[in-house]
Amino acid sequence: MITDPELHKLFKAESDEHLARLDDGLLRLEKMPADPELLDDMFRESHSLKGAARMLGLSRIEAAAHGLESIFNAARKGEAPLTPESIEQMNIALADLRQRAREALATNADCGLEITEPPADAGSLLIAASPIPQSHSPNPRPEAANPQAIKPFRIETVRVETRKLDDLLTQVGELAVIQGQAQHRLKLIEELMNLWAVLERRRNQTKAGLSAKHASVETADGCFGSLLKQARDAFFDDNARLESTVQRLDDQVSSMRLLPLSSLFGLFPRMVRDLAREQGKEVELLLEGGDITVDKRILEEMKDPLMHLLRNAIDHGIEPPDERARMGKPRAATLRLRAVREDIYVLLEVRDDGRGLDSAAIRLEAGKRGMLDDGVLASMTSRQIQQLIFTSGFSTSRYLTELSGRGVGLDVVRVNVERLKGGIRLESLSGQGLAVQMRLPLSLATTRLLLASVDGRLYGLPVESIHTSRRVRPEEIFQLDGRRAILLDGEPVIVAGLAELLEIPEGAHRAAAATGSKQQACVVLQLDHGRLGLLADELPGEEEVVPKPLGAPLKRVRNVSALAVLGDGTICPLLNPADLTRSAHKALRITELGLRTADAVPQSAPDMPQSKPAVLLAEDSALIRAMEKRILEDAHYEVVTAVDGLDALNLLGSRPFAAVVTDIVMPNMDGLTLTARIRAEPRHRNLPVILVTSLASDEDKRRGLDAGANAYIPKPTFDQRVLLDTLKRLI
């Protein structure tokens, strides 16, 4: 028995790791049974598991691990080469060993499986069970037994480098120093309060006619002012240090929550292998990008969506080998699970080379279910039709199987991705396969919100879903096929009142707005299937918050994803952009919220007022950034600032800009890399980029122009008229 709680926890983490590596190694040995390096790795894993069990007195688990160790040792020495039959027997033994280890940890008792050592010339695994349950099959599927009994995938242990702990301890020490200094500041405040009491008494005496005290009052006033200035300066310095320390502490703690995707990807090879064998299909699973680190919660929340997508690919998408051969495809299908880093996001993709989506069948099924009118379905594009597969309960399967046909899998995918503030899109060609792409943030510790006010209440919208925001006059809103719309960049965008979507009873603010005498704020959401404008009273600003999930019984509230406490203590609901879009879809009965065609603009659409051209200014020096911002604003440009190239690249995707003005030497991403990244985007190919930098040599200028810049202005000879004339000419 494991009586020590700490040892119990350590053995759980270590045994899980060894068993996972053994599982992965056996799958690889099926293809490369004589790989010497792989056999060495498997020998070491089983040996380490045996040693851990021995230290804790788990004799039967020790014996089981020793049996596997002996098999691998004989194989790596060439004494007993592995065969498909012996590998299959080891798969069964490993499944039982995992179950015994799980039971031992759950009960602090050791229920074992004994594996006897084979003779030196034997190539098969001899198993002496105590006894092996009769329900075992060649392809055990423990997850198929009782779905209700399956525990959620949770990562309970995270390994942390000692260097990170040292850095964390340093920051905690900094906070302790600042806390001690704060005690001294409190004493200073107490002195100020005492001095203030003295001043009050003397002022009262002066008012009573005791003018002889005037001199001492003036002296006390001067002393009070000096102390007040000291307190102000001290608090300013302490606040700056506290802000810097807390930021570093936050960054380090957040980095500890980042784990490699390989810890999640490793769960799927055996599942894919077993499912493919059950269905008589040949499938090769390729894993890419497992070294990318993401927030621990993303690993936990994305386990079920990825499992559903892989199962759907095997059950629905991939054809049987004979059918693939008749179609001229390889008998073995390729199923790819890929991760790609995109700045502060990660793109997860599940791609197969199977049948692809049948848009006609999806359209027919949607019509049968009455999901949309026939006219609406007929007008939808193929991509819009394909998005319907994410609707709850939707399935084109004619029969139910253990894996699919109930219409719940893809709905789980959509809900989980949206809960993680991500987006999902499809790419499919009939007969060529399907790719499901999910774009997720790397970290979920904090969220930046744009605050919107409706009837005096504040609501938060995640900034990553916002295309732009602006003020809208009543006369700018026009009717487009019975729907309210505005013009944005010369194109109509459907708008809806945030209050109506949230079903907020009409108050005084909205009553005043209904008279037509008040401008409204409009936030334009940018989602995978178009744009939607949300009308609100005001947009007070942005704020960084820590989202708090809704607790029971509010696990799922339409249009609301979480709650957050703002800096002033106000509780603010975090709105779900995807839910808001669906609410608008339902209320307005439209299928495309972001109309893109110019011929959809009515002849009576109002002329748009000329707005200030927006310039994105990237400069790491706060002083130079402020100076250039003032120059541009005085020339009637709207200026959005970024502290480096990476910040500018993120801002560039949030709204349209007329030009980019950037320095070259900056942290995180320099101006040359930023320019090259801008030119790599087809939509930004013609966006003017001006380099304003202290690098003034001919070689530097050549590198800047080679990167794709339109103009190069050296700071040593900087003249604001040159910058403004260049901007005017390029824009």
Side-chain angles (χ1 to χ4, degrees):
M1 295 182 64
I2 309 176
T3 57
D4 190 304
E6 183 178 359
L7 295 179
H8 184 277
K9 184 182 298 184
L10 290 173
F11 180 72
K12 182 182 186 309
E14 187 171 337
S15 62
D16 285 347
E17 185 174 322
H18 291 314
L19 290 170
R21 290 177 178 172
L22 286 168
D23 193 30
D24 178 67
L26 284 176
L27 292 176
R28 293 163 60 193
L29 282 171
E30 289 182 346
K31 299 178 181 179
M32 302 177 293
D35 186 329
E37 185 176 348
L38 184 55
L39 288 171
D40 286 343
D41 290 342
M42 293 301 94
F43 171 77
R44 285 193 296 269
E45 293 298 333
S46 53
H47 178 79
S48 298
L49 179 59
K50 180 187 74 173
R54 177 189 297 163
M55 290 295 294
L56 295 174
L58 304 176
S59 57
R60 292 175 183 168
I61 291 180
E62 176 192 349
H66 177 67
L68 289 175
E69 177 192 23
S70 300
I71 300 296
F72 291 127
N73 192 34
R76 73 192 186 110
K77 291 180 178 179
E79 299 172 354
L82 298 180
T83 65
E85 292 76 16
S86 63
I87 294 175
E88 188 62 35
Q89 288 297 313
M90 282 194 288
N91 276 318
I92 297 174
L94 182 62
D96 282 308
L97 178 57
R98 181 183 293 104
Q99 179 62 29
R100 300 302 186 239
R102 187 181 299 117
E103 292 172 357
L105 287 164
T107 61
N108 286 351
D110 179 23
C111 303
L113 171 69
E114 294 183 3
I115 303 180
T116 64
E117 229 181 293
D121 58 349
S124 61
L125 177 64
L126 305 179
I127 303 177
S130 307
I132 294 179
Q134 297 300 315
S135 60
H136 279 297
S137 62
N139 295 305
R141 290 276 311 284
E143 65 267 22
N146 180 10
Q148 301 299 326
I150 299 176
K151 294 183 179 180
F153 175 59
R154 291 289 181 266
I155 300 173
E156 298 176 357
T157 305
V158 178
R159 292 192 174 188
V160 180
E161 298 176 13
T162 55
R163 174 183 56 81
K164 291 185 177 181
L165 289 177
D166 292 340
D167 292 341
L168 194 62
L169 187 61
T170 299
Q171 303 310 321
V172 172
E174 286 285 335
L175 287 176
V177 172
I178 297 173
Q179 182 183 24
Q181 292 176 338
Q183 297 295 328
H184 293 288
R185 310 307 181 218
L186 287 175
K187 293 180 180 179
L188 182 59
I189 291 176
E190 289 177 1
E191 292 180 16
L192 286 170
M193 296 301 296
N194 294 334
L195 185 56
W196 180 257
V198 173
L199 286 172
E200 284 296 307
R201 287 198 304 271
R202 292 181 176 176
R203 282 196 177 93
N204 292 334
Q205 293 172 355
T206 302
K207 291 178 181 178
L210 300 177
S211 56
K213 302 290 186 180
H214 281 180
S216 61
V217 170
E218 291 175 358
T219 302
D221 279 341
C223 183
F224 179 77
S226 176
L227 287 174
L228 189 60
K229 184 178 183 301
Q230 290 180 38
R232 182 200 63 188
D233 294 343
F235 271 114
F236 180 83
D237 293 340
D238 290 348
N239 183 68
R241 288 186 59 195
L242 185 61
E243 181 179 2
S244 175
T245 302
V246 169
Q247 182 61 50
R248 290 196 299 269
L249 191 61
D250 179 68
D251 291 342
Q252 290 167 6
V253 172
S254 298
S255 70
M256 292 180 185
R257 289 178 55 89
L258 299 180
L259 298 174
L261 280 165
S262 57
S263 57
L264 174 61
F265 287 2
L267 301 175
F268 302 123
R270 179 165 293 278
M271 182 197 79
V272 169
R273 167 191 177 273
D274 292 345
L275 294 181
R277 287 195 174 189
E278 286 180 7
Q279 298 199 15
K281 298 178 179 180
E282 299 178 15
V283 181
E284 181 179 6
L285 177 64
L286 302 180
L287 303 176
E288 301 176 9
D291 57 336
I292 296 175
T293 57
V294 299
D295 192 280
K296 166 180 169 288
R297 185 184 157 203
I298 290 179
L299 295 180
E300 296 172 342
E301 296 284 349
M302 288 306 296
K303 185 244 185 180
D304 286 343
L306 290 176
M307 180 181 67
H308 284 305
L309 291 175
L310 293 171
R311 284 182 169 179
N312 271 326
I314 297 172
D315 193 42
H316 286 299
I318 294 174
E319 310 92 340
D322 292 342
E323 181 180 339
R324 290 179 61 87
R326 288 194 301 269
M327 299 171 62
K329 294 183 177 182
R331 291 180 62 86
T334 299
L335 183 56
R336 190 183 304 271
L337 175 56
R338 184 172 71 106
V340 179
R341 176 78 176 267
E342 294 182 347
D343 295 326
I344 60 172
Y345 296 93
V346 61
L347 179 71
L348 294 179
E349 180 184 76
V350 177
R351 181 183 293 269
D352 66 75
D353 60 353
R355 299 185 180 95
L357 293 178
D358 187 343
S359 298
I362 297 173
R363 193 189 308 267
L364 180 62
E365 184 66 23
K368 287 181 180 179
R369 294 172 179 265
M371 296 172 58
L372 293 168
D373 297 335
D374 292 339
V376 173
L377 285 171
S379 65
M380 294 173 67
T381 65
S382 178
R383 174 167 291 186
Q384 293 167 350
I385 288 291
Q386 291 172 0
Q387 291 288 336
L388 294 177
I389 68 174
F390 291 108
T391 305
S392 178
F394 186 88
S395 176
T396 58
S397 179
R398 297 181 180 179
Y399 53 90
L400 295 178
T401 71
E402 183 184 354
L403 300 182
S404 60
R406 297 169 175 81
V408 296
L410 292 178
D411 182 46
V412 170
V413 175
R414 177 185 59 80
V415 170
N416 282 33
V417 170
E418 291 175 358
R419 185 164 57 228
L420 295 173
K421 302 180 294 182
I424 188 168
R425 65 189 298 267
L426 303 173
E427 289 182 1
S428 178
L429 290 176
S430 181
Q432 298 183 29
L434 169 67
V436 182
Q437 298 175 341
M438 296 154 286
R439 190 168 182 261
L440 301 164
L442 292 172
S443 177
L444 299 171
T446 61
T447 298
R448 189 153 194 86
L449 299 178
L450 175 65
L451 301 178
S453 172
V454 178
D455 278 352
R457 303 184 184 99
L458 289 178
Y459 300 88
L461 290 161
V463 296
E464 58 264 21
S465 299
I466 296 174
H467 173 69
T468 188
S469 62
R470 50 170 293 189
R471 305 290 299 178
V472 176
R473 299 192 305 271
E475 59 268 22
E476 295 180 58
I477 302 176
F478 58 92
Q479 293 293 315
L480 179 63
D481 296 333
R483 298 157 288 175
R484 289 187 295 173
I486 61 171
L487 283 180
L488 182 65
D489 301 330
E491 299 176 352
V493 174
I494 301 301
V495 296
L498 187 56
E500 286 80 6
L501 297 183
L502 297 177
E503 301 178 16
I504 300 174
E506 185 169 337
H509 291 77
R510 285 169 55 205
T515 63
S517 60
K518 181 182 178 183
Q519 288 188 359
Q520 289 181 278
C522 181
V523 180
V524 180
L525 301 179
Q526 178 68 63
L527 301 172
D528 291 333
H529 48 286
R531 297 176 183 176
L532 172 67
L534 300 176
L535 299 176
D537 297 334
E538 298 291 343
L539 302 177
E542 297 183 9
E543 189 158 339
E544 196 89 12
V545 300
V546 178
K548 302 294 183 183
L550 300 174
L554 304 178
K555 287 295 184 183
R556 182 75 172 95
V557 178
R558 183 165 54 91
N559 298 325
V560 177
S561 60
L563 297 175
V565 179
L566 302 181
D568 60 358
T570 303
I571 296 178
C572 173
L574 274 64
L575 302 182
N576 186 325
D579 272 7
L580 292 173
T581 304
R582 282 190 287 272
S583 296
H585 184 283
K586 181 178 179 181
L588 302 173
R589 301 297 297 169
I590 60 176
T591 59
E592 180 67 10
L593 298 178
L595 300 176
R596 301 305 182 96
T597 56
D599 56 0
V601 181
Q603 297 299 321
S604 59
D607 292 334
M608 294 294 293
Q610 294 295 321
S611 58
K612 295 180 180 180
V615 174
L616 178 59
L617 172 62
E619 170 62 63
D620 61 321
S621 168
L623 176 61
I624 297 176
R625 187 167 63 242
M627 292 175 59
E628 292 181 355
K629 183 173 185 288
R630 184 178 303 171
I631 291 171
L632 294 172
E633 287 180 338
D634 289 344
H636 305 292
Y637 289 100
E638 178 188 359
V639 183
V640 177
T641 59
V643 297
D644 56 41
L646 185 59
D647 188 21
L649 196 63
N650 292 331
L651 289 171
L652 200 59
S654 65
R655 55 168 296 179
F657 289 94
V660 176
V661 177
T662 177
D663 187 15
I664 289 184
V665 181
M666 296 183 293
N668 297 322
M669 181 185 291
D670 61 37
L672 295 178
T673 305
L674 171 63
T675 304
R677 293 286 295 272
I678 291 174
R679 289 292 173 254
E681 287 282 341
R683 57 177 175 161
H684 299 320
R685 189 166 295 152
N686 298 319
L687 179 65
V689 178
I690 302 174
L691 296 175
V692 180
T693 174
S694 58
L695 303 178
S697 69
D698 292 339
E699 176 62 19
D700 292 325
K701 294 177 184 178
R702 186 189 62 78
R703 290 172 57 224
L705 297 178
D706 287 346
N710 299 85
Y712 192 105
I713 303 177
K715 287 179 183 176
T717 59
F718 178 75
D719 185 337
Q720 69 181 49
R721 290 175 297 179
V722 175
L723 173 62
L724 297 178
D725 289 346
T726 305
L727 267 177
K728 183 177 180 180
R729 174 174 56 83
L730 292 174
I731 293 178

